[in-house]
Amino acid sequence: MTKKLLEVVSKAIEIARWAPSSHNCQPWKVITLEGAGKQYDVLLDQPLKSNELLCCLALDKKRQLSALPSLQFEMYISCGLFLGLFWLAITQQKARCRFHWLCDAELNLSWLQVASEHESELLVAMVITAENHDLIRDNQVNTVESKLNQILELVSTRRTFRGLFEKKLFDHEMIENLLSRRWPKVLTGGEALVQFEQNGELIRNTTKLVAKYAALDFSSYRAWKETYRYIRFDQQADTEDGFYLQSLFGPMPKRKIKFYEYMLSPLVMQALRLVNVPHYMAKELSKLVEKSAQLLVIKINDEHLSKRNLVMMGARLMEVWLQAHHAGVAFHPLSVLLQHDEPREALQRLLQCHNERIVFVARVGYIKTPEDISPRRTVQSIHTAVYS
Ligand SMILES: Cc1cc2nc3c(=O)[nH]c(=O)nc-3n(C[C@H](O)[C@H](O)[C@H](O)COP(=O)(O)O)c2cc1C
């Protein structure tokens, strides 16, 4: 049974690894604890049965972004995006997933040891249970495989879209469809408020904020150095993370790629501050915002800002993002507005958030399917099996 459950987990990772993450850094790690016995019981409501496997989602400290304090939020959200897809793929395989939150909790020595051995921060433990003893009966195999393939097709074709969206506004029915809750609240939580903003004046004011503040990111040496590490200039080279230059600026000839590789390098960018290049880049980004029909905003009440709620919010975002992709809609996150206090607080004032923090903002709209590639880590690099 453990072997079968390990296969279930492996297939779930195959799907979840397509989750989006900041800079495509993919800061997640899945640890399965085979034969886990009493030492982990403290956090579990009952001892593990023979048809159960203990598995843990963790934030990989070696992979997390750290140039700005606000990136910590994005790491939890990214892990939540992964968790959403992981849960979806587990449940499609006739298995159940019981959550035991480890972040924000006091951990016993066994858990602390797992965290330190794997250089990671443990977020949530999951007890994966086979619904029936054979897990999937023979006559269900094809149905389950075909459902998993459909999900894989959907998640692996979703892309962040950084070009111009179609001008069309979402109607009421579309918004209801995108925001409908199909995933359980034990996964997606209830504290994050997700909303679409279509007010023209608000979009114009947000455009001004991007034009005014986005240069902060391009001109901060530390932040840009970290970002630059994730830009990939050669689509043929083997890579497992980061994003291609072409995903930012569209297709271009080789010599132009070489030119950008040099121009965008952190030291050159510092020099280019003298001739206002970061402001020019901010202005270009703001033009895209100006032409967007709607924004997606997610906020959480200050009182409920916790690691767990950020991870859950990530799962909720994944649910909405997937529904959007299914409906021909793409997202372009605008983290430049949230990574520094000044623009974030200005945006919060615009949106009349009194006791709430905006944790995610994106331009959103209809697109014609983009043909873009985005690298991913292998299942083996994400999954670590521990025998105890
Ligand atoms: C929390 C979060 C913040 C992000 N912020 C930005 C951003 O500010 N600008 C941007 O172009 N993409 C942003 N992205 C998109 C990622 O760069 C993208 O998901 C990643 O490169 C993988 O590409 P894909 O979404 O096309 O698979 C963000 C993604 C996440 C999850």
Side-chain angles (χ1 to χ4, degrees), residues 13-30 57-65 74-75 77-82 158 230 232 239-243 374-379 381-383:
I13 297 174
E14 178 69 44
I15 284 175
R17 74 197 180 103
W18 289 102
S21 58
S22 315
H23 296 3
N24 199 20
C25 71
Q26 305 163 56
W28 40 71
K29 178 177 268 192
V30 174
L57 172 68
L59 170 62
D60 188 336
K61 287 193 175 158
K62 291 197 297 300
R63 301 194 66 90
Q64 66 182 355
L65 304 179
E74 294 192 17
M75 295 302 97
I77 295 170
S78 298
C79 287
L81 288 154
F82 179 95
R158 179 215 51 78
Y230 285 91
R232 306 284 171 252
T239 183
E240 58 168 18
D241 56 15
F243 47 92
S374 181
R376 284 299 185 277
R377 295 168 61 200
T378 59
V379 173
S381 102
I382 297 169
H383 183 198

Side-chain angles (χ1 to χ4, degrees), residues 81-276:
L81 288 154
F82 179 95
L83 181 67
L85 292 185
F86 184 80
W87 168 86
L88 180 67
I90 291 285
T91 50
Q92 289 300 324
Q93 297 178 77
K94 310 279 173 217
R96 272 179 286 123
C97 196
R98 211 162 69 234
F99 299 106
H100 298 267
W101 289 90
L102 302 176
C103 51
D104 310 317
E106 219 166 278
L107 300 182
N108 71 11
L109 214 60
S110 308
W111 286 112
L112 289 175
Q113 210 172 337
V114 173
S116 106
E117 268 170 23
H118 298 279
E119 291 179 70
S120 54
E121 179 178 347
L122 305 182
L123 301 175
V124 57
M126 290 166 276
V127 177
I128 316 279
T129 314
E131 270 179 19
N132 57 55
H133 211 69
D134 299 331
L135 204 54
I136 305 168
R137 293 204 175 87
D138 284 346
N139 59 356
Q140 293 176 322
V141 170
N142 287 342
T143 333
V144 170
E145 282 297 323
S146 117
K147 190 83 198 148
L148 281 182
N149 284 337
Q150 278 174 26
I151 296 175
L152 185 59
E153 167 72 15
L154 189 69
V155 299
S156 61
T157 52
R158 179 215 51 78
R159 282 289 159 275
T160 296
F161 183 78
R162 300 177 179 92
L164 278 180
F165 293 116
E166 289 177 28
K167 285 212 171 99
K168 215 161 94 185
L169 277 175
F170 298 163
D171 60 20
H172 183 69
E173 199 183 327
M174 179 67 172
I175 292 182
E176 262 197 1
N177 173 34
L178 294 182
L179 296 184
S180 63
R181 276 184 175 270
R182 296 180 170 101
W183 295 1
K185 273 201 177 168
V186 285
L187 167 70
T188 54
E191 301 304 341
L193 188 70
V194 187
Q195 61 196 54
F196 288 99
E197 298 288 347
Q198 298 177 312
N199 178 296
E201 196 183 332
L202 185 110
I203 292 178
R204 275 191 297 283
N205 285 330
T206 308
T207 302
K208 286 183 198 154
L209 288 185
V210 172
K212 184 171 174 192
Y213 292 109
L216 279 179
D217 220 44
F218 303 129
S219 48
S220 147
Y221 180 72
R222 198 170 135 77
W224 186 254
K225 196 170 158 210
E226 187 170 69
T227 304
Y228 186 78
R229 266 204 303 125
Y230 285 91
I231 306 180
R232 306 284 171 252
F233 295 93
D234 182 358
Q235 281 194 338
Q236 312 312 326
D238 218 13
T239 183
E240 58 168 18
D241 56 15
F243 47 92
Y244 294 107
L245 183 72
Q246 289 89 331
S247 307
L248 296 179
F249 301 123
M252 62 177 82
K254 262 195 177 149
R255 69 194 143 69
K256 205 165 169 193
I257 296 177
K258 275 278 156 222
F259 169 77
Y260 271 112
E261 187 170 2
Y262 172 72
M263 291 293 276
L264 296 178
S265 62
L267 282 174
V268 177
M269 276 292 270
Q270 282 303 296
L272 291 175
R273 284 172 68 178
L274 300 171
V275 285
N276 267 340

